[in-house]
Amino acid sequence: MDEKYFPEKIEEKWQKRWEEEGAFFAVERDHSRTPFYCLEMLPYPSGFLHMGHVRNYSIGDALSWYKRLRGFNVLHPIGWDSFGQPAEQAAIKRGINPRDWTEDNINHMRGQLKRVGVSYDWRREMAAHTPEYYRWDQWFFLKMYERGVAYKKLSPVNWCPTCQTTLSNEQSSGGVCWRCGNPVEKKEIEQWFLRITDYAEQLLEDMREIEGGWPERVLTMQRNWIGRSAGAYVDFTIKDTEARVRVFTTRIDTIYGATAIVLAAEHPLLAELLADLPLKADVLKFVEHVRASARNRTNAGEEAEEKEGINTGLIAINPFNGEFLPVWVANYVLMDYGTGAVMSVPAHDERDFEFAQKYSLPVRRVIERISHEQESIEHDPTRADQSAAMEHAFSDYGLLVNSGEWSGKLSEDAIEEMARFAKDKNFGEEAVTYRLRDWGISRQRFWGAPIPIIYCNECGTVPVPEKDLPVRLPDHADFTGTGESPLAGVAEFVNTTCPKCGGAARRETDTMDTFVDSSWYFFRYCDPRNDSAPFDQERVTYWTPVSQYIGGIDHAVMHLLYTRFWTKVMRDIGLVPFNEPVKRLMTQGMVTNLVEGTNDWKRMSKSLGNGVDPDDMIAAYGADAVRLFVLFAAPPENELRWQETGIEGAVRFLRRVYGMVWRWRERLSDASETGAEEFSAAARALRRKTHQTIARITEDFEELHLNTSVAALMELSNALGDFGAEPQTAAGADAFAVREALESLVLMLTPFTPHVAEEMWESLGHEGGIIGGAALWPRADEELARKEDLEIPVQVNGKLRSRIRATPDTPEDVLRAAALADEKVQGFTNGREVVKVIVVPQRLVNIVVR
RNA sequence: GCCGGAGUGAUGAAAUUGGUAUACAUAGCAGACUCAAAAUCUGCCGUCCGUCAAGGGCAUGGGGGUUCGAGUCCCCCCUCCGGCACCA
C-alpha cells in the first residue's frame, strides 16, 4: 500500500491476481452452498462499452460480490449477442468480413470489461455467432418444427426498408423499426413463425409467479402487448346464400342495437361473394383505395384516418332477432384483429357511432344507464327514451332495453347468458382474442443463424437432420443489401441434397431473428462447452431459474417476452422443470448527460455528442470511483444524470477511507476486543454506528437499494472521522472500536469498489484477500446496535415542542411523567386540560390538550 | 381513451412502512492553511417572521378526509413519465 491512493496501480494488481486465482469461478453442483445466479443482459458487441453498460454491470457486480461474501455459490457470467445487422452494415460499407468485425469488437470490449473489473466467470463466456452456439438455436428450431411450434406461412409482415428485412410485431411496435427507428411497411412474404400465441394465456397466467419479483410496469407492458380481450363470436348468415360471417364482440349484450355488419377490406368473404354483387365494381374500387392508403400510412402514431366505408348490398341476418342488416366494408375494421368483421352498434360504440353519423345509419339504443332510482324502482323497458338524439355512444354497462326477452337484464349477466344462448343455438360461442401475433423469425440477412430447413422438389420442406447440425454460415457472401438474404447468392450454401431422397435440393436462405439467440443464452452459461446438447439438465437445474436479472427497460416486451415463451417451450420439451426463467428482474434507468448548449438531459449517444467514454473516466478517476459514483448517484431504476463533480466526490470519499486505513494499518492487527466496561461512551457510539450500518446495508442489498447503502458507508466513514482517536495515542478499547468500524467499512465497500477494498483489507493485515476468504460479510450484533440513550420527541397536539432523554427500556409511565414535567412542554400545557397522552415506547410522546 | 409509475431543498435524493421531514452527496456561501491558486480541513445551507438570539409560523403537486399524529392510508383534482390504441 502506498501512502497515496493510486487507483490505476491498485486496480491492475487486483485484476491480475483475481484472474490468476480464478477468483470468480462458479462451482458446479456444489450442494454445500446455496446457488445464486446473477445475470446481466448480454451486450451487443458494437465496439465500445458505454456508460449504460457500466451501470448495468456495476449493479450486477455489487450484488454478486455481496452474495459471495454472504457465502453463496455465485454464477456471474457474460457473453455476446454477436449476431445482428451492424456487423453486416460494416461489411457492406467497409468491405470487412462480419465475423472479423464482430470478433475484433468482442476482443476490445472484453478488455474494457476487465478494466472495469467486473467479477465474471470468464470461462463461461459465450458468443451467439459461433457455430458451437448457433448450432443449438438450430436444434431448438427443429424441436419446435417437430412439435408444430415453428411453421411457415405466407402473410403480410412488417418490412423495414432501411434494414432490408422483415421484423416481428414486437420489433416494429408503434410502426417503427426497433433498430433504426424508421417506419416499417407491410409486405407479403413467406416466413417462419413461432407459435407464441399458443402460449398467450400462460404468458399472462404465469405472471402470478413473478409478481413482486418483476417491476410492475414490465408486467403491465407485457399485459398490454398480449392484449387479452374476452367476448364472444357470433355468426351472421348472409341472406340468400350459405355464407356466414363471424364477428367478434366484447358486447354481445348490445346486439339488438346492431344496425350493420362491417367487414375489413381484406375480408375473404368479399372475394367469395363479390361475383354476385351488383355493386362489385364500386366495392373493388373501395377496397383498393383502403389498401393503398394503408400502404401510404407509414408514419407511426398518426391520428386515425377518417372513417370511410361502402355498402356492399349484402344483407346479414341478426341471429338473435332475425333482423336484416346491411353489410358494409370500412377502413376502420382491421383484418388482423378478431375476425376482421364487427357488428356495428352505433348507440354503444364510439367508432360505430362516428361511422353511423357519417353514413346516416340508424342509432338504436339498447342499454340504459342504471340510475339509483331505477335500481329501486321496478324498471319498465318500454319507458326507455329512444327519441332523444345521442351525442355520443354510451359505452358503459347498464340495463338492457329493446332487446326482446333479454330486456331488463344487466349487461354483466346478459354478456354471459347471451353467449351461452348463441352456443346452444349453434351460431356463436364465448371467445377470447389476443393482440399478440405469432413471432416471425425469418430475417433476410446474412449475419444470423441459418434456419435448418431444406426444400426438395420431391419431398417438399425437409428439416435438416440433427446429426447434420450446425448448418454453417459460409465465410463469404455478397452483401448487396437487395432485400433477399445474401445467402441466396452463395451457391455452395444454397445447393445441397435432400436428406430424405438424396436428390438435389435448396437450403432455406433466411436466417433467424437474433432474439432467438438471446432467448436461451443464460441456460447455456450453465454448461457452455457442451457439444452433445444445448446444456446438461442437472447443471441447469442447479443454477436456474435466474435469481436476479438486470437490464434495460427497452427489452420489456421484446426479449423478456420471448425468453418467457422460450422457457415454456423448453419446459414442454422436458428440458426444464419450471415455467418462468427469471425470478427477479431489475430494470436499470438510463444514463443521461446534458446535451451541449441545451438544458436537456438525454441518453448518452455519439450523435448527440453527449457521450462519456468509460475508458476516459477510468483513466482519470479509476474504475472503483466510476462504479461507486454510478451506484451512489441515483437508485438503480432511476435515470442517472452524469455529473463529473459527482465522480470527484466519490474519489474524495475513497481517498478519505484510504487515508484512514493508511494511518491505522499498523495499529489495528493486534487490537482485540476487551471487556465491555472499558469502552468509552464515544467508542460505544462508534460501535453502535458500525453495527447499525451493517444491519442497514444488509437489508438494503436485498432490495438493491444500492444508493442508500453507499450513503450508509459514508456515514460510517464520517463517524470514524469524528471519533477523533489517533493511532499513536489511542487506548486499546478505542483502537478496537476503530478496527471494527474500519474493517467493516472496508468489507462492505467490496461490492462497490472491489479493487481498493482488497488493497485496504490486505493492508490491515489480512492474508489471502477478501475473495479468498469465504463468507466474510460482517455480522450485525443487535445488542451493540441498540441505542443506549434516546432523544424522545415530545409533541403537544401533534406538534414537536421538546425532546427528553431516555433509555430504550424506560417504562411508559416514566416517559409520560418526564414529558409532562418538561419545562418547554409546560409552556404549552399550562392552564389547559390534558385530555390524553400517547406514549410510543422508544419513539415519542404526544400530549393532547384542550 | 385504457393500463402502469411518479410528483419532497438550488440539484441527485433519504425517511426504520402511520411516529423528530430533508440522511448522504453535489453545487453554493464564509473561514483556516497558502505569496497565490488547486487540494485539504472547519462552519453555514427549506422558507418566512424575529436586530444577532431565544423562539415561533409555514412547508413533501393542489383540495378534502381518517387519526393523538399523515410525505406515507382514503376520496377528488392537477402535472409529468412510460406502455397500448380505429383491438370491436
Side-chain angles (χ1 to χ4, degrees):
Chain A
M1 193 185 202
D2 301 309
E3 181 171 1
K4 277 214 170 130
Y5 172 44
F6 295 118
E8 262 181 86
K9 202 171 159 189
I10 294 173
E11 287 169 12
E12 211 190 310
K13 167 181 166 185
W14 287 97
Q15 284 168 15
K16 194 165 160 242
R17 190 175 297 184
W18 291 331
E19 180 135 20
E20 284 165 2
E21 290 173 354
F24 309 121
F25 289 175
V27 183
E28 296 307 324
R29 298 188 199 86
D30 177 353
H31 293 285
S32 67
R33 287 186 294 167
T34 311
F36 188 90
Y37 190 168
C38 181
L39 179 69
E40 295 117 40
M41 288 185 187
L42 86 174
Y44 177 79
S46 59
F48 303 92
L49 221 56
H50 54 71
M51 274 302 165
H53 291 128
V54 173
R55 187 178 199 191
N56 193 168
Y57 310 143
S58 297
I59 297 166
D61 206 35
L63 183 63
S64 297
W65 268 103
Y66 167 73
K67 287 290 177 180
R68 279 185 206 111
L69 295 180
R70 297 283 319 257
F72 288 80
N73 185 18
V74 173
L75 173 57
H76 190 213
I78 190 74
W80 309 96
D81 190 14
S82 47
F83 267 142
Q85 280 174 53
E88 215 167 317
Q89 312 293 9
I92 293 167
K93 260 192 213 152
R94 295 189 258 154
I96 315 167
N97 186 313
R99 180 175 289 109
D100 296 341
W101 184 84
T102 301
E103 289 178 355
D104 285 352
N105 287 349
I106 288 176
N107 288 334
H108 182 245
M109 290 173 78
R110 188 191 297 114
Q112 289 186 299
L113 279 176
K114 289 192 171 178
R115 281 194 293 284
V116 178
V118 191
S119 64
Y120 291 127
D121 182 347
W122 284 101
R123 294 173 309 171
R124 296 167 188 264
E125 183 182 0
M126 57 67 66
H129 76 284
T130 56
E132 295 75 36
Y133 184 78
Y134 70 68
R135 164 186 187 170
W136 301 109
D137 287 339
Q138 296 170 339
W139 183 87
F140 276 117
F141 180 90
L142 294 176
K143 295 287 167 204
M144 291 190 190
Y145 181 74
E146 247 168 60
R147 304 176 69 88
V149 176
Y151 67 98
K152 194 176 195 187
K153 76 170 175 193
L154 178 71
S155 77
V157 291
N158 308 291
W159 172 262
C160 175
T162 314
C163 300
Q164 290 281 308
T165 185
T166 55
L167 297 170
S168 71
N169 273 19
E170 289 75 22
Q171 291 156 5
S172 48
S173 173
V176 295
C177 171
W178 73 287
R179 212 176 242 298
C180 68
N182 293 314
V184 299
E185 297 167 358
K186 287 282 174 192
K187 198 169 174 179
E188 289 256 324
I189 288 191
E190 241 201 323
Q191 278 230 104
W192 286 96
F193 288 88
L194 301 184
R195 232 177 265 283
I196 192 171
T197 53
D198 276 3
Y199 290 82
E201 202 57 46
Q202 288 182 42
L203 286 165
L204 286 171
E205 272 292 302
D206 294 347
M207 283 187 192
R208 275 196 221 139
E209 294 180 21
I210 49 179
E211 243 155 28
W214 282 42
E216 195 51 47
R217 65 172 172 156
V218 173
L219 297 178
T220 303
M221 281 161 79
Q222 294 206 355
R223 259 185 222 113
N224 285 343
W225 188 260
I226 295 167
R228 183 183 200 271
S229 172
Y233 291 132
V234 183
D235 298 328
F236 289 70
T237 308
I238 304 293
K239 190 167 164 269
D240 303 329
T241 73
E242 295 291 294
R244 285 176 144 202
V245 57
R246 168 161 278 208
V247 306
F248 175 71
T249 178
T250 55
R251 292 299 302 274
I252 194 172
D253 58 315
T254 66
I255 199 164
Y256 281 76
T259 56
I261 293 297
V262 187
L263 307 180
E266 302 89 344
H267 199 283
L269 193 72
L270 278 176
E272 203 179 301
L273 298 178
L274 213 53
D276 305 328
L277 288 182
L279 296 168
K280 179 180 172 183
D282 292 346
V283 171
L284 268 177
K285 208 170 132 197
F286 177 76
V287 165
E288 192 36 51
H289 162 70
V290 171
R291 287 186 166 183
S293 60
R295 268 197 300 274
N296 293 341
R297 210 171 79 84
T298 47
N299 280 350
E302 214 171 72
E303 278 294 296
E305 288 173 70
E306 180 162 2
K307 293 183 177 42
E308 290 182 279
I310 186 168
N311 190 336
T312 62
L314 294 168
I315 301 293
I317 302 167
N318 186 334
F320 271 87
N321 57 8
E323 196 176 350
F324 289 175
L325 303 174
V327 177
W328 287 64
V329 186
N331 63 345
Y332 78 97
V333 177
L334 310 173
M335 191 59 227
D336 54 11
Y337 186 78
T339 60
V342 302
M343 61 178 202
S344 177
V345 185
H348 303 295
D349 181 281
E350 201 54 53
R351 295 152 305 183
D352 295 341
F353 184 79
E354 201 187 306
F355 190 68
Q357 293 284 303
K358 180 163 173 182
Y359 292 102
S360 305
L361 293 168
V363 178
R364 189 189 308 144
R365 182 151 198 166
V366 293
I367 305 287
E368 284 289 311
R369 181 187 302 281
I370 304 168
S371 70
H372 291 292
E373 263 168 73
Q374 279 166 328
E375 254 174 333
S376 49
I377 301 170
E378 182 73 12
H379 182 73
D380 173 10
T382 60
R383 217 186 51 183
D385 181 12
Q386 260 199 80
S387 55
M390 300 173 76
E391 281 181 17
H392 284 287
F394 173 73
S395 48
D396 294 351
Y397 282 180
L399 205 59
L400 274 68
V401 296
N402 300 310
S403 296
E405 59 190 290
W406 308 94
S407 297
K409 287 195 182 291
L410 292 169
S411 292
E412 289 89 336
D413 301 331
I415 283 170
E416 222 173 273
E417 293 169 24
M418 292 171 90
R420 207 178 309 135
F421 177 79
K423 188 173 166 85
D424 289 347
K425 300 288 178 194
N426 209 22
F427 61 75
E429 61 188 312
E430 258 192 297
V432 175
T433 59
Y434 301 91
R435 219 184 66 92
L436 184 70
R437 296 281 84 110
D438 276 343
W439 176 13
I441 57 156
S442 298
R443 295 293 176 270
Q444 293 69 46
R445 307 299 314 196
F446 170 80
W447 196 231
I451 294 173
I453 288 288
I454 290 169
Y455 301 108
C456 169
N457 284 336
E458 299 299 318
C459 313
T461 303
V462 182
V464 173
E466 236 178 272
K467 65 174 174 47
D468 293 345
L469 296 183
V471 176
R472 280 176 186 269
L473 266 185
D475 284 333
H476 298 284
D478 204 3
F479 302 108
T480 49
T482 54
E484 201 186 9
S485 167
L487 285 177
V490 184
E492 60 273 30
F493 177 83
V494 177
N495 298 321
T496 183
T497 52
C498 171
K500 257 193 195 163
C501 70
R506 294 174 59 81
R507 284 192 193 279
E508 167 68 62
T509 56
D510 282 354
T511 52
M512 290 185 220
D513 183 1
T514 57
F515 281 83
V516 166
D517 312 327
S518 52
S519 289
W520 67 279
Y521 73 101
F522 48 90
F523 291 105
R524 183 72 179 172
Y525 285 142
C526 302
D527 191 11
R529 306 288 167 251
N530 196 323
D531 59 7
S532 57
F535 48 75
D536 173 72
Q537 288 191 44
E538 198 191 330
R539 285 176 174 230
V540 156
T541 316
Y542 177 76
W543 290 115
T544 61
V546 170
S547 317
Q548 178 72 57
Y549 199 15
I550 305 154
I553 187 73
D554 33 337
H555 288 296
V557 172
M558 299 186 286
H559 163 57
L560 289 169
L561 189 65
Y562 296 145
T563 193
R564 293 183 60 221
F565 156 68
W566 201 276
T567 302
K568 291 171 202 304
V569 175
M570 283 175 41
R571 176 204 59 199
D572 291 349
I573 296 174
L575 291 176
V576 293
F578 45 77
N579 301 319
E580 290 291 333
V582 171
K583 280 190 240 167
R584 284 167 59 109
L585 171 72
M586 127 90 51
T587 49
Q588 107 251 8
M590 288 190 293
V591 182
T592 61
N593 199 4
L594 262 185
V595 180
E596 183 122 26
T598 71
N599 278 328
D600 302 335
W601 291 88
K602 294 252 173 76
R603 182 186 217 132
M604 288 184 177
S605 83
K606 261 194 202 136
S607 55
L608 288 172
N610 65 342
V612 172
D613 185 353
D615 280 342
D616 294 347
M617 290 301 116
I618 290 171
Y621 304 102
D624 282 331
V626 172
R627 293 167 58 154
L628 186 68
F629 166 67
V630 156
L631 294 175
F632 173 60
E637 46 276 288
N638 285 21
E639 173 190 338
L640 170 70
R641 298 184 164 192
W642 189 261
Q643 300 247 21
E644 198 119 350
T645 51
I647 198 168
E648 281 160 17
V651 180
R652 268 200 290 274
F653 166 68
L654 288 179
R655 272 203 289 261
R656 271 198 297 272
V657 179
Y658 189 94
M660 283 192 275
V661 170
W662 172 259
R663 277 182 282 117
W664 283 94
R665 71 192 184 289
E666 274 159 9
R667 177 67 210 279
L668 296 185
S669 46
D670 56 344
S672 48
E673 187 160 13
T674 53
E677 66 284 349
E678 287 176 40
F679 287 101
S680 64
R684 287 201 305 274
L686 179 61
R687 298 196 71 190
R688 192 177 313 127
K689 187 74 185 173
T690 301
H691 287 275
Q692 283 171 351
T693 306
I694 296 168
R696 187 175 155 193
I697 294 180
T698 306
E699 217 169 273
D700 280 351
F701 253 107
E702 298 304 325
E703 297 301 320
L704 285 176
H705 292 164
L706 304 180
N707 56 322
T708 51
S709 296
V710 177
L713 289 173
M714 290 174 169
E715 282 185 49
L716 180 57
S717 150
N718 290 346
L720 254 167
D722 294 344
F723 183 55
E726 286 305 322
Q728 299 77 15
T729 54
D734 281 357
F736 178 77
V738 168
R739 175 180 176 174
E740 185 179 48
L742 203 50
E743 290 191 346
S744 302
L745 179 59
V746 166
L747 286 173
M748 290 191 290
L749 265 171
T750 315
F752 307 95
T753 58
H755 312 87
V756 68
E758 285 271 25
E759 181 72 11
M760 293 189 291
W761 187 246
E762 188 182 59
S763 305
L764 288 171
H766 299 282
E767 303 280 325
I770 294 176
I771 190 61
L776 279 170
W777 193 257
R779 193 179 267 282
D781 183 325
E782 272 181 56
E783 203 54 47
L784 291 168
R786 185 166 301 148
K787 287 189 180 161
E788 48 191 54
D789 188 26
L790 298 173
E791 236 185 15
I792 307 276
V794 182
Q795 300 179 331
V796 178
N797 286 349
K799 289 202 169 168
L800 179 69
R801 295 303 181 188
S802 183
R803 295 182 174 88
I804 55 176
R805 304 203 77 89
T807 54
D809 53 359
T810 308
E812 252 184 76
D813 52 328
V814 177
L815 275 177
R816 177 195 317 255
L820 285 168
D822 185 84
E823 199 181 324
K824 281 189 205 150
V825 169
Q826 284 192 351
F828 291 92
T829 54
N830 263 345
R832 309 176 80 173
E833 181 195 349
V834 175
V835 182
K836 201 174 177 182
V837 181
I838 288 112
V839 182
V840 185
Q842 303 188 40
R843 272 286 142 72
L844 100 170
V845 179
N846 188 11
I847 299 163
V848 186
V849 297
R850 197 162 27 212

